[in-house]
Amino acid sequence: MKMIMAVIQDKDSNRLMNALVEHNFRATKLASTGGFLKSGNTTFMIGTEDVRVQKALDIIKDNCQHRQQLVAPVSPMGGNADSYVPYPVEVEVGGATVFVLPIEHFHQF
Amino acid sequence: MKMIMAVIQDKDSNRLMNALVEHNFRATKLASTGGFLKSGNTTFMIGTEDVRVQKALDIIKDNCQHRQQLVAPVSPMGGNADSYVPYPVEVEVGGATVFVLPIEHFHQF
Amino acid sequence: MKMIMAVIQDKDSNRLMNALVEHNFRATKLASTGGFLKSGNTTFMIGTEDVRVQKALDIIKDNCQHRQQLVAPVSPMGGNADSYVPYPVEVEVGGATVFVLPIEHFHQF
Ligand code: NI
Ligand code: NI
Ligand code: NI
């Protein structure tokens, strides 16, 4: 058994949980702030058998990878038309910091 | 030294903390949601000497074990008497998912 | 790689985070309550290379050590002048409970 602690962005949280459940992983979310990632984040605690660690890592990577995202510009509300950029801009989102820890015992009561 | 991470139901949280303190264990509660257990849950982080791990597990088992509970029916408020079941019903409560992790160093400042 | 879990008092939290960032450590804060320390506490989760563990512990010790603090007396508001003690009193603050855990894998996506 291993414990996977994954710090991810809040915005990837629901998608990751759904993907984990779909692949029969069980995860608990810990409320967390700051640190490894800039904005609001969530820490997933996932317990799994050794042979399934790589699959869990793949799911985290697929759903939380650091990536560029195109954001459609918002038209300025009564604003200065000079500062309005009428094309999508790229922002950086996502990312995950993942620790795999050894477990000596696992119990379910 | 070992670190015990125990995900338990919120409703067992106070009882478990009292039982741990009574047996001289020290625990920190981490706010957690979803995952290993269906409804609201709490993650206990307990640091203890190796020889006391089994005692801590016993306390967790005694206070959080998955069990059936009889719930007295609530009389319907101005409701339809047809749907009122005048005997207690069984619901499943409790349960704990417990990880025992090795600790390399323990420090108290 | 090691994972350092440090339970500290809320009031030392900002100072510790600043000191960690200043020394290029990355930490995530987990919301936590009760247990190892009496009042409100925060759990820092710090991932770091083995050779930097001692530096992280030094920073935690420097910023969170259990200590006496002089608190200036507050003049009683329309109160009984008899109970007013016109000199600072010592209160105990700080303290940290720190676990260093082994990490088998560390990934950044
Ligand atoms: Ni065991
Ligand atoms: Ni040490
Ligand atoms: Ni790996």
Side-chain angles (χ1 to χ4, degrees), chain C residues 56-75:
Chain C
L57 294 176
D58 290 346
I59 293 173
I60 296 168
K61 189 174 180 179
D62 286 350
N63 288 280
C64 310
Q65 193 156 21
H66 190 81
R67 60 202 182 273
Q68 308 293 325
Q69 197 170 61
L70 286 180
V71 175
V74 180
S75 163

Side-chain angles (χ1 to χ4, degrees), chain B residues 26-38:
Chain B
R26 302 169 85 206
T28 286
K29 287 188 284 181
L30 302 175
S32 60
T33 55
F36 295 118
L37 298 168
K38 273 155 241 147

Side-chain angles (χ1 to χ4, degrees), chain A residues 11 21 26-27 56 63 66 73-74 78 82-83 96 102:
Chain A
K11 66 163 56 182
V21 169
R26 302 170 85 206
N63 288 280
H66 191 81
V74 180
D82 291 348
S83 66

